Amino acid sequence: MSVGIPIRRLWPEPSTQQLDDAALTTLYGRADEPRLRVNFVASLDGAVTLDGYSAGLSGQPDKRVFGVLRMVCDALVVAAGTLRHEGYRAVRLDERRRAWRREHGLTEYPTLVVVSGSLDLDPAQAAFADAPTRPIVLTHADAEPPPGLTDVADLLRCGTGRVDLAAGLTELHRRGLTQLLCEGGPHLLGALTAADLVDELCLTVAPLLAGPGPGRITAGDAAPPRPLPLRHVLAAEDGVLLLRHARP
Ligand SMILES: NC(=O)c1ccc[n+]([C@@H]2O[C@H](COP(=O)([O-])OP(=O)(O)OC[C@H]3O[C@@H](n4cnc5c(N)ncnc54)[C@H](OP(=O)(O)O)[C@@H]3O)[C@@H](O)[C@H]2O)c1
């Protein structure tokens, strides 16, 4: 089977061997303990979007790793802003990836978890209406759902007046969703960083200068810096770097 643009390991232990999907799955495997992994793509000069969207930064190697990360997680956590802006569709995996999940005792699809304070969400959006697994909306005690939202998603209320992210993650773990993959966006990453909840960042660096304008992968109120040591560097033949940083 073709894997498209070759990806090789640069660090640690550089290798000339192309990484197949099995090797990528090992490199991005599940952890024994609960973990919040965050995945982003950025330009060389730190932009999180091109023309307002992440798609312009993401090529075939990024999409390949993106697919592996979705395959190995229990739940896919996304902020309402990114869900609305990027027009998230239902989380679907191809048969090969669903088979991998079945073999590893997982549900066929990860659960979508949408983080929203306002509950300004459209139940007809395909991410909800088409979902193969009922999504969860992580919100707070005072948020009022729009008509129809509770027909297509379960509300998980943590915090009063604002979402208590730490309590939300603990509740997801209690429900057996321990391997969490967060696909952003920047305000959610900023809040997770401030709460010191980020265990891992997978960052794709696209080899281009986006120029001034777009924001960074993080946004919101200032937070203390959080060290996140480098675990591996992969390089795709088109010059894309795939970095994995994780807590010790
Ligand atoms: N390059 C990449 O990899 C990548 C990845 C993701 C997104 N993006 C880009 O990022 C942009 C969107 O970013 P954004 O700044 O709008 O940020 P965002 O974090 O996607 O969305 C912000 C919204 O999400 C909800 N939210 C986030 N953090 C929350 C918290 N701690 N508590 C409660 N609700 C929270 C709120 O929704 P409510 O308003 O419903 O309360 C908030 O208004 C888009 O342009 C998208 O394309 C890029």
Side-chain angles (χ1 to χ4, degrees):
M1 187 191 62
S2 161
V3 293
I5 298 169
I7 300 176
R8 297 182 177 83
R9 191 174 58 220
L10 287 188
W11 189 91
E13 300 146 31
S15 166
T16 54
Q17 203 159 11
Q18 290 185 33
L19 297 166
D20 59 15
D21 270 16
L24 285 177
T25 303
T26 302
L27 282 166
Y28 290 99
R30 291 167 61 86
D32 293 334
E33 63 286 328
R35 172 177 59 188
L36 178 70
R37 161 185 277 171
V38 179
N39 184 36
F40 269 95
V41 59
S43 71
L44 268 185
D45 51 354
V48 73
T49 53
L50 266 190
D51 298 325
Y53 293 91
S54 57
L57 296 168
S58 172
Q60 192 262 337
D62 177 58
K63 290 193 176 74
R64 202 170 143 216
V65 169
F66 182 95
V68 170
L69 299 185
R70 282 189 167 193
M71 179 181 78
V72 302
C73 75
D74 295 320
L76 181 62
V77 181
V78 66
T82 291
L83 179 101
R84 289 188 291 254
H85 182 79
E86 299 261 347
Y88 259 56
R89 305 174 69 81
V91 179
R92 299 265 172 203
L93 303 177
D94 65 23
E95 172 48 33
R96 191 171 46 97
R97 293 198 161 132
R98 296 206 304 278
W100 185 93
R101 290 180 64 87
R102 286 193 299 271
E103 279 160 27
H104 290 80
L106 307 176
T107 55
E108 286 223 329
Y109 298 95
T111 302
L112 178 68
V113 177
V114 179
V115 182
S116 172
S118 71
L119 289 186
D120 176 15
L121 299 168
D122 179 2
Q125 182 170 346
F128 296 114
D130 249 12
T133 302
R134 195 170 160 84
I136 294 171
V137 177
L138 174 56
T139 190
H140 57 81
D142 312 307
E144 204 48 56
L149 186 63
T150 54
D151 294 341
V152 292
D154 292 329
L155 298 190
L156 169 57
R157 296 183 184 272
C158 295
T160 307
R162 52 179 282 278
V163 178
D164 182 336
L165 291 171
L169 297 197
T170 301
E171 178 55 24
L172 293 175
H173 299 161
R174 201 191 61 75
R175 296 180 183 197
L177 306 172
T178 65
Q179 304 297 299
L180 304 177
L181 170 65
C182 175
E183 293 183 351
H187 278 91
L188 182 55
L189 175 57
L192 291 167
T193 303
D196 200 15
L197 293 170
V198 178
D199 298 311
E200 180 173 325
L201 175 67
C202 298
L203 179 66
T204 299
V205 182
L208 61 90
L209 296 170
R216 293 167 50 202
I217 67 168
T218 193
D221 295 335
R226 311 284 184 195
L228 213 45
L230 183 64
R231 298 295 164 193
H232 74 220
V233 180
L234 313 181
E237 221 164 77
D238 60 355
V240 167
L241 288 180
L242 300 148
L243 314 178
R244 189 173 87 86
H245 289 253
R247 293 204 221 240

